[in-house]
Amino acid sequence: MRLLADTVLKSDFAFWLMMHLARRTVIENILGTPSEVVDRVSVAERARLQTMLMNILPVSCRRAGLLNDEAVVSRLGPFDLEKIEAPTLLISLEDDRYGTFPGTQYTAGKIRNAHFIGLPTGGHLWLGHNEEVITTVHDFLQGTLRTKSRDTESV
Amino acid sequence: MQTSSLLLPIGAIASFGFLAAIYLAYRRDIRKAQARVSTGSAVVKTERGRIEYASIGEGLPLLIVHGAGGGSIRHSISRLVLIKPGSGVFLFLGSATFEHRYRAMARLRPRLIYMRASLTHFAFPSRPLWEFRRVVLRPYSSRSGTRSAVWHWFSSYQQRLRLMDREYTRAHPR
């Protein structure tokens, strides 16, 4: 299995072929998004999905980074989430195939200054919610900046 | 006789044309991809190694860091660790480090565990076992059918995810 995965990562052609022959499977398992969501979203969102899909190429250039990720992830220690004081925005979707939702909820409960937004469908790419997510992030950053500049003025 | 002797070259030409079309489509896509990644970024040397970055737009600086890539998916697929032999209860893990920790905890609290990918570990490794709810119920299978190995790899992973989703929904009714 390891050899197979490594072969696919080494070969751009193998990965490209897989993207075309097993598109829905790649969307589900690599992009972490349920394929049935794709059928329900707008043309613009489908175009965004297609861009993300094509952006995986050339996968061979990512190989070293992915192997490094693997090594790093397997050696991570616990984080002191309670020590985080910065305003934190957490967004997750319930049907994210990477299963980030329960962990995001948990983290939001541990970080003092956290704001959690959970959306029901859209997968890892928040398909169908792009405008909403971008607006939320934008507003969060603007709000944080305003608070920070007020604090600086008062000092 | 004459017709059958024509079929072979026609078939060969059609096959060649088909393969050529696939190759050309691939070349087109990969050239675009290579052009995209070869421009617009820079490399900075740090004490921990080189970091590639891209700077886009204007205004107040905002640092965006993306987490782990697909490597952890592969890792998750390759490991499914049995906690309690004979019970059909499995822990779906991405790393040996966590495997030891969770195995030890599983002895104390032999409950089912819900986990879908090692990215969960990546982001929240400090989460204790007992805060996880149910359920992962599918053993890792190395059966290979008539499907290609790649297809089997992905579809079996997908099957596991679906099963986990179903079990999780059952355990956590809205």
Side-chain angles (χ1 to χ4, degrees):
Chain A
M1 193 61 70
R2 196 182 176 86
L3 180 71
L4 175 70
D6 205 34
T7 307
V8 173
L9 284 181
K10 276 181 190 165
S11 168
D12 290 327
F13 180 68
F15 195 84
W16 179 86
L17 209 57
M18 201 167 69
M19 273 171 35
H20 286 80
L21 295 179
R23 182 183 159 84
R24 293 178 89 87
T25 308
V26 170
I27 290 170
E28 293 240 358
N29 296 299
I30 306 287
L31 296 182
T33 302
S35 54
E36 57 269 21
V37 173
V38 180
D39 303 327
R40 296 199 298 263
V41 297
S42 67
V43 176
E45 282 291 78
R46 279 204 287 268
R48 185 167 70 88
L49 169 72
Q50 181 60 22
T51 305
M52 305 269 307
L53 208 53
M54 295 310 286
N55 281 353
I56 299 173
L57 288 171
V59 75
S60 58
C61 295
R62 296 177 182 270
R63 184 173 165 270
L66 292 174
L67 294 176
N68 184 56
D69 284 343
E70 186 183 36
V72 170
V73 167
S74 66
R75 285 201 295 267
L76 282 176
F79 294 134
D80 291 327
L81 296 171
E82 293 85 353
K83 287 185 180 171
I84 297 174
E85 291 182 0
T88 306
L89 171 67
L90 299 104
I91 303 174
S92 184
L93 289 91
E94 285 186 54
D95 62 351
D96 181 344
R97 290 288 193 225
Y98 287 118
T100 59
F101 195 82
T104 311
Q105 276 181 313
Y106 170 82
T107 304
K110 294 284 178 187
I111 297 176
R112 211 170 304 161
N113 212 351
H115 180 47
F116 172 67
I117 292 178
L119 298 167
T121 61
H124 195 61
L125 301 184
W126 57 73
L127 277 188
H129 299 284
N130 197 39
E131 287 298 319
E132 186 183 346
V133 168
I134 286 177
T135 306
T136 304
V137 173
H138 180 265
D139 292 348
F140 171 77
L141 291 172
Q142 290 293 333
T144 307
L145 286 172
R146 270 197 296 272
T147 310
K148 198 172 179 181
S149 60
R150 263 204 310 270
D151 291 349
T152 312
E153 280 167 19
S154 63
V155 169
Chain B
M1 187 68 182
Q2 205 171 10
T3 312
S4 63
S5 64
L6 277 175
L7 280 178
L8 191 64
I10 289 172
I13 291 168
S15 302
F16 178 77
F18 179 67
L19 292 174
I22 290 176
Y23 179 73
L24 288 174
Y26 165 69
R27 288 302 308 163
R28 185 198 60 213
D29 286 350
I30 201 68
R31 275 195 188 130
K32 270 189 207 167
Q34 280 163 348
R36 177 175 45 76
V37 298
S38 62
T39 55
S41 70
V43 174
V44 62
K45 282 183 184 170
T46 73
E47 57 184 17
R48 291 299 186 98
R50 298 186 310 152
I51 296 175
E52 186 177 12
Y53 71 97
S55 181
I56 303 164
E58 293 174 350
L60 283 168
L62 173 68
L63 178 66
I64 300 178
V65 183
H66 193 273
S72 57
I73 301 172
R74 182 161 56 101
H75 206 117
S76 302
I77 293 166
S78 65
R79 280 176 183 273
L80 195 66
V81 182
L82 179 65
I83 306 171
K84 203 175 167 192
S87 68
V89 181
F90 293 83
L91 174 61
F92 186 49
L93 283 180
S95 76
T97 308
F98 295 122
E99 175 187 327
H100 294 311
R101 184 193 303 165
Y102 284 97
R103 270 188 169 174
M105 287 177 165
R107 276 197 290 274
L108 301 171
R109 290 172 178 261
R111 297 178 5 171
L112 302 182
I113 300 158
Y114 168 66
M115 264 183 203
R116 290 203 300 191
S118 60
L119 279 180
T120 312
H121 289 83
F122 170 70
F124 318 104
S126 63
R127 188 175 183 186
L129 181 73
W130 50 85
E131 290 191 18
F132 282 102
R133 304 295 292 274
R134 304 163 188 230
V135 165
V136 177
L137 279 177
R138 191 179 173 86
Y140 173 71
S141 166
S142 59
R143 281 182 292 117
S144 57
T146 50
R147 292 171 298 184
S148 71
V150 172
W151 178 255
H152 177 72
W153 174 41
F154 278 110
S155 62
S156 63
Y157 178 59
Q158 202 174 340
Q159 265 182 329
R160 283 203 290 273
L161 286 178
R162 283 194 181 133
L163 190 66
M164 286 181 236
D165 277 344
R166 204 160 54 234
E167 295 296 337
Y168 183 74
T169 310
R170 200 179 298 156
H172 301 80
R174 286 182 196 172

